[in-house]
């Protein structure tokens, strides 16, 4: 076990190593293909990797298994100088390519990048086509910054909204998370990089830092020492894993076909994820037929005392430097026959296959070149995602703001002039910043805009009173490395008591609009005392403009919640005991809520959320009708019953009967959704497919329901007007 202090030291040392000079890419391995059969482009990447592996010495093979000097990048795979194979760099996240990490713990350094909205915002778009575009954008940027691999997406389910990486997740539902991750991977890999689907698996918390000094913006990478991600053991049933935590990975692997998977820091039912025979050999490779590369999470994803288990169970690559896979450790184990040479070859082949498929032999990335990036084009994608992800939670009619007819807007809140984003490896130093206050001021529809970022409630109230409309911009702060200590907007205290500020403004100005920029769910106890609530997530580098466009009605608010917003912390599925979260003193985190994660819990317990999963208002209204249910899918009509163009997001849920040992069943489970843009009065027929797997539960294997399956379609998990059944319903 590594205590917190040594972890900090390890990070500092590794970060310092990352600053060693960058090795420049050599002439391509295949510029002279004579005697190099692996250069034959007519062969698939697997065959070429096999041929190249056969040409390597044992020393060269061993060198490939541990990371390599990464210069400005987060990590690198060793070159083979003798054969002209260049070093392959990896970096980035779903949010952007924020290399480098510097020794003082600050992330961003000199390189700027397009900062996408948080993946929670992307999930809120409910739009896989947009996820594909976002992936293609970040993939392109990763390549132009000299990378062969891109370290995302994260398909971890949001189990606890406290989690420091909530913003990096696609939310609480496996269907939505899997669809978004798969589409993002397809987009990113189309740009000529391999992706790394992370963090496999059951990686759902960072750990608490009870002193709360770390995990702030001043120190973005915190260290949650209580049930830290480096130490905790997820005690979780096989069923909850298969149905909830592994399901998004499975979809992402089957549909996205990522070049690599990153195994997680934590333990799962005993072994560390990167040494787990069950996760790596049985589930990933045997059950899902995954043939790609498995790399460890950074620095302490692999453990020297577990080297044999890592090697045998399927960890191909240790990142970012060879400690557990140090040649000096592995070589004698191979010589003694403890480790098999055939398995060494397999690890090497998988590493090479990923890099060859991403072009390392034929078209290796050039050194980073910021000027090659289409900054405007990428900004447009960031704006499209931000716009598509904005969720209108409440609107008494104050929105959309009437251009020109709203002469005096007061923009308030200490976050109004700052862009909101999360910390850790998902942080990016953006090409542009676009705070809400500036974007509202610049909007062509805006009249007189007063911006005041005071924390003084009395002053804010008087500024609000003197205006026609108050827009209060609030935010939270999440970071990799440490969980949030509470879910209110008072936590962390960086921005003062934002809840009290909202209450004061709302008391002074009936037309108060609150714009929440948070990585995930926060408590919004004042919601019924304000005129409108707009959930904008961490909206990325074009976020202000996107929010202004939604507020002025240039675009319909088309996002829907990928997470439940609870009324109170006591309602969370993990609130019942510290065993569930943050875990016991022995670092065991008991996933006793089983499959009742997110809305599945609130539905099963009859707990009313503040806003349910799938919820979001539009400036128009929709009606659903004419449901037809069949074994392979449902068809229904969606109609725009209002007077503006808008996006309906009809969702398909199933309620499964008990299946074998799977006696506890969530009342509803999402199985399909589609974003449909409709003109006023327009009616469209929508078909959402169902598969046998959609009607199955895990009971020692996937078992299809034999009894009565309830089927429902509607606007959110709590608004399901169309009902039908499948099977024997008596
Ligand atoms: C994170 C990974 C990330 C890696 C490299 C680790 O701390 O857990 O998600 O890809 O750093 O930046």
């Amino acid at each position: 076990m590594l205590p917190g202090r040594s972890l900090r030291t390890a990070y500092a040392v590794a970060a310092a190593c990352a600053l060693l000079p960058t090795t420049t890419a050599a002439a391509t391995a295949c510029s002279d293909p004579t005697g190099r059969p692996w250069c034959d482009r007519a062969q698939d990447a697997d065959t070429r990797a096999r041929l190249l592996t056969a040409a390597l010495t044992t020393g060269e093979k061993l060198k490939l298994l541990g990371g390599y000097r990464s210069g400005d990048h987060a990590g690198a795979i060793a070159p083979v100088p003798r054969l002209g194979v260049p070093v392959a760099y990896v970096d980035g996240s779903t949010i952007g390519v924020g290399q480098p990490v510097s020794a003082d713990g600050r992330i961003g350094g000199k390189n700027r990048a397009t900062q996408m909205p948080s993946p929670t915002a992307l999930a809120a778009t409910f739009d896989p086509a947009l996820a594909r575009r976002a992936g293609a954008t970040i993939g392109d940027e990763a390549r132009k910054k000299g990378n062969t691999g891109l370290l995302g997406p994260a398909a971890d389910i949001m189990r606890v909204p406290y989690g420091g990486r909530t913003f990096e997740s696609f939310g609480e539902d496996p269907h939505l998370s899997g669809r978004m991750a798969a589409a993002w991977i397809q987009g990113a890999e189309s740009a000529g990089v391999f992706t790394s689907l992370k963090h496999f698996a059951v990686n759902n918390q960072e750990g608490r830092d009870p002193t709360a000094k770390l995990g702030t913006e001043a120190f973005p990478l915190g260290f949650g020492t209580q049930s830290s991600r480096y130490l905790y053991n997820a005690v979780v049933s096989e069923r909850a894993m298969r149905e909830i935590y592994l399901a998004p990975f499975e979809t992402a692997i089957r549909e996205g076909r990522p070049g690599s998977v990153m195994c997680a820091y934590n333990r799962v039912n005993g072994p560390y994820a990167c040494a787990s025979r069950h996760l790596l050999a049985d589930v990933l490779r045997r059950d899902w037929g995954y043939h790609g590369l498995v790399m460890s999470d950074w620095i302490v994803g692999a453990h020297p005392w577990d080297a044999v288990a890592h090697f045998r169970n399927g960890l191909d690559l240790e990142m970012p430097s060879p400690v557990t896979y140090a040649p000096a450790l592995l070589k004698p184990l191979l010589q003694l026959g403890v480790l098999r040479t055939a398995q060494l070859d397999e690890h090497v082949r998988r590493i090479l296959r990923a890099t060859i498929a991403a072009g390392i032999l034929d078209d290796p990335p050039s050194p980073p070149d910021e000027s090659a990036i289409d900054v405007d084009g990428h900004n447009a994608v960031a704006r499209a995602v931000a716009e598509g992800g904005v969720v209108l939670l409440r609107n008494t009619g104050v929105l959309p703001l009437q251009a020109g007819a709203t002469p005096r807007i007061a923009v308030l809140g200490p976050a109004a002039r700052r862009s909101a984003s999360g910390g850790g490896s998902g942080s990016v130093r953006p090409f542009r910043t676009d705070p809400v206050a500036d974007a509202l001021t610049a909007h062509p529809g805006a009249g007189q805009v007063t911006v005041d970022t005071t924390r003084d409630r009395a002053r804010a109230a008087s500024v609000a009173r003197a205006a026609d409309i108050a827009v209060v911009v609030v935010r939270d702060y999440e970071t990799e490395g440490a969980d949030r200590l509470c879910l209110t907007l008072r936590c962390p205290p960086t921005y003062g008591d934002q809840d009290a500020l909202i209450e004061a403004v709302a008391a002074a100005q009936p037309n108060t609009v609150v714009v929440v920029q948070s990585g995930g769910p926060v408590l919004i106890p004042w919601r019924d005392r304000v005129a409108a609530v707009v959930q904008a997530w961490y909206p990325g580098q074009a976020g202000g403009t996107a929010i202004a466009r939604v507020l002025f009605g240039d675009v319909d608010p088309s996002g829907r919640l990928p997470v439940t917003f609870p009324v109170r912390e006591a309602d969370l599925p993990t609130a019942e005991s510290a065993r569930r979260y943050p875990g016991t003193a022995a670092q065991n985190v008991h996933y006793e809520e089983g499959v009742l994660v997110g809305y599945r819990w609130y539905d099963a317990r009859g707990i009313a959320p503040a806003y349910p999963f799938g919820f979001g208002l539009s400036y128009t209204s929709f009606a659903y009708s004419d449901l037809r249910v069949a074994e392979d899918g449902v068809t229904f009509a969606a109609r725009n019953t209002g007077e503006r163009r808008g996006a309906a997001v009809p969702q398909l849920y199933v309620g499964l009967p008990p299946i074998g040992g799977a006696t506890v069943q969530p009342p509803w489970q999402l199985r399909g959704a589609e974003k449909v843009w409709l003109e006023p009065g327009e009616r469209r027929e929508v078909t959402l497919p169902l598969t046998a797997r959609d009607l199955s539960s895990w009971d020692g294997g996937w078992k299809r329901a034999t009894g009565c399956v309830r089927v429902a379609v509607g606007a959110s998990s709590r608004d399901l007007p169309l009902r039908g059944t499948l099977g024997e319903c008596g």
Side-chain angles (χ1 to χ4, degrees):
M1 288 211 318
L2 285 165
R5 180 180 283 260
S6 358
L7 285 178
R8 264 169 256 180
T9 313
Y11 250 103
V13 170
C17 291
L19 290 179
L20 291 171
T22 308
T23 309
T24 42
T28 75
C30 292
S31 39
D32 175 14
T34 324
R36 295 182 170 181
W38 54 87
C39 288
D40 180 0
R41 291 176 189 223
Q43 303 293 332
D44 62 23
D46 203 39
T47 308
R48 295 175 70 184
R50 210 177 291 279
L51 291 165
L52 182 53
T53 303
L56 300 180
T57 64
T58 303
E60 287 165 339
K61 289 177 189 170
L62 285 171
K63 260 189 139 173
L64 279 164
L65 261 54
Y68 185 73
R69 280 181 300 152
S70 54
D72 273 354
H73 306 254
I77 298 170
V80 187
R82 182 173 64 87
L83 300 175
V85 180
V87 56
Y89 295 108
V90 298
D91 212 309
S93 75
T94 328
I95 296 159
V97 189
Q99 65 205 48
V101 182
S102 63
D104 62 0
R106 290 174 60 79
I107 295 183
K110 63 184 186 310
N111 288 317
R112 294 179 307 158
T114 300
Q115 181 193 52
M116 283 287 166
S118 56
T120 38
L122 186 54
T125 69
F126 272 73
D127 187 350
L130 205 45
R132 206 169 291 121
R133 261 176 87 198
T137 303
I138 298 304
D140 176 69
E141 223 161 283
R143 200 163 219 284
K144 296 201 167 129
K145 283 167 166 275
N147 297 290
T148 296
L150 174 51
L151 304 175
D156 308 300
I157 286 290
M158 188 206 72
R159 174 177 182 251
V160 278
Y162 303 112
R165 302 187 88 169
T166 293
F167 72 106
E168 288 189 67
S169 80
F170 293 119
E172 68 189 27
D173 180 75
H175 173 89
L176 181 62
S177 302
R179 284 290 168 299
M180 298 312 276
W184 194 91
I185 290 166
Q186 289 165 2
E189 299 221 346
S190 74
V193 289
F194 70 80
T195 56
S196 199
L197 177 65
K198 64 191 188 181
H199 309 83
F200 189 69
V202 205
N203 182 254
N204 311 111
Q205 66 187 58
E206 299 298 283
R208 289 207 156 187
D209 169 21
T211 67
K213 288 194 192 112
L214 306 172
T216 64
E217 280 167 284
F219 192 100
L221 204 61
F223 286 94
T225 46
Q226 213 179 1
S227 290
S228 145
R229 60 175 172 166
Y230 303 116
L231 301 174
Y232 80 79
N233 176 35
V235 183
V236 55
S237 72
E238 188 65 19
R239 180 183 172 210
M241 277 209 284
R242 299 278 185 162
E243 292 187 18
I244 305 289
Y245 299 102
L246 298 178
F249 285 91
E250 185 177 1
T251 305
I253 281 174
R254 290 195 201 280
E255 293 177 14
R257 309 177 69 81
S260 81
V261 166
M262 186 191 298
C263 50
Y265 288 125
N266 52 281
R267 293 179 284 151
V268 181
N269 292 328
Y272 279 101
C274 291
S276 166
R277 184 186 166 85
H278 183 58
L279 287 178
L280 301 184
D282 299 348
V283 175
L284 185 63
R285 303 235 190 251
R286 184 194 65 200
D287 294 354
W288 299 349
Y290 176 70
H291 300 301
L293 158 65
V294 173
M295 68 171 78
S296 74
D297 201 343
W298 263 230
I299 305 174
V300 284
H303 305 88
W305 60 88
D306 250 356
V308 173
H310 287 298
F311 193 95
R312 284 187 183 157
N313 294 335
L315 175 68
D316 301 309
L317 173 66
E318 180 188 21
M319 282 302 223
S321 39
V323 177
T324 300
Y325 278 1
L329 185 66
L330 294 188
K331 206 167 174 188
L333 292 173
L334 282 162
Q335 281 162 348
L336 290 169
V338 177
L339 302 178
R340 290 185 306 116
T341 312
Q343 203 154 19
L344 171 65
D345 287 353
E346 207 166 299
H347 291 312
V348 170
R349 185 178 55 75
R350 289 189 191 128
I351 294 167
L352 294 175
R353 196 180 96 117
T355 58
I356 291 172
I360 199 75
L361 297 183
D362 309 326
D363 181 22
S366 316
D369 180 7
E370 204 173 287
S371 69
I373 295 170
D374 174 8
V375 175
D376 289 339
H378 290 189
N379 192 65
V381 179
R383 196 185 89 185
V385 174
E387 270 176 20
V390 170
V391 185
L392 180 61
L393 292 177
R394 176 179 168 82
N395 185 17
T396 57
V398 67
L399 296 180
L401 302 175
Q402 302 299 309
T406 319
R408 294 174 303 167
I409 302 177
V411 184
L412 299 160
R417 279 231 158 92
R418 308 254 325 253
S419 297
S421 57
S425 58
S427 81
V428 164
R429 185 173 163 231
F431 280 127
R432 295 179 184 161
T433 52
D434 186 23
V436 181
D438 298 357
L440 276 174
T441 309
H443 190 277
Q448 182 195 321
V449 178
T450 308
V451 181
D452 194 326
T453 56
T454 181
R455 292 170 190 213
D456 183 307
R457 288 170 222 158
R459 186 167 125 193
S462 88
V463 175
R465 205 174 291 116
D468 299 308
I469 288 188
V471 177
V472 189
V473 185
V474 293
R475 65 163 295 180
D476 73 349
Y477 181 70
E478 286 178 14
T479 180
E480 176 183 341
D483 290 350
R484 304 186 74 214
L485 291 178
C486 76
L487 291 187
T488 73
L489 289 165
R490 274 166 263 165
C491 193
T494 323
Y495 300 95
D497 187 343
Q498 300 177 94
D499 287 333
L501 187 81
I502 293 167
E503 299 275 9
V505 171
Q509 174 52 266
N511 293 324
T512 292
V513 176
V514 181
V515 175
V516 181
Q517 299 181 103
S518 67
V522 287
L523 299 184
I524 45 178
W526 31 259
R527 60 192 174 282
D528 294 335
R529 291 186 286 283
V530 298
V533 182
V534 173
Q535 173 62 35
W537 317 103
Y538 294 153
Q541 69 169 41
T545 303
I547 293 164
R549 280 170 49 79
V550 170
L551 294 185
F552 275 99
D554 303 336
V555 62
D556 195 44
S558 66
R560 302 294 185 265
L561 289 182
V563 290
T564 304
F565 270 51
V567 171
R568 58 186 76 82
E569 294 183 51
D571 291 345
L572 293 175
T574 51
E576 269 177 21
S577 85
R579 283 165 57 81
R580 293 189 183 184
Y581 179 81
T584 65
Q587 312 281 344
N588 288 316
V589 180
H590 296 268
Y591 284 49
E592 290 162 337
E593 72 284 5
V595 294
L596 300 180
V597 176
Y599 64 90
R600 290 164 166 80
W601 168 264
Y602 294 86
D603 288 352
R605 294 295 161 107
I607 301 170
Y611 294 107
F613 176 88
F615 177 78
L617 300 169
S618 152
Y619 292 147
T620 184
S621 51
F622 305 102
Y624 301 113
S625 63
D626 304 304
L627 177 68
R628 293 196 306 277
V629 180
E631 290 280 318
D632 61 352
V634 302
T635 303
F636 55 92
R639 194 156 54 87
N640 182 342
T641 52
E643 271 147 33
R644 301 171 66 103
R645 177 173 194 264
V649 186
Q651 298 152 41
L652 163 65
Y653 293 82
V654 299
L656 300 177
I659 301 174
T663 47
V664 174
Q665 289 290 5
W668 295 114
Q669 309 202 58
L670 183 76
R671 293 297 193 243
E674 193 166 315
K675 186 174 249 186
V676 196
W677 286 93
L678 296 169
E679 299 299 329
E682 187 182 349
R683 178 188 188 277
R684 185 124 25 109
E685 194 149 277
V686 179
T687 299
L688 297 174
L690 275 173
T691 63
R693 172 67 181 274
D694 288 330
L695 307 178
S696 302
S697 278
W698 182 267
D699 178 27
W702 290 107
K703 304 272 166 63
R704 195 183 181 292
T706 50
C708 177
V709 176
R710 291 172 302 120
V711 177
V713 170
S716 83
S717 60
R718 289 286 173 110
D719 177 11
L720 297 169
L722 303 186
R723 302 286 175 113
T725 56
L726 271 176
E728 287 172 30
C729 297

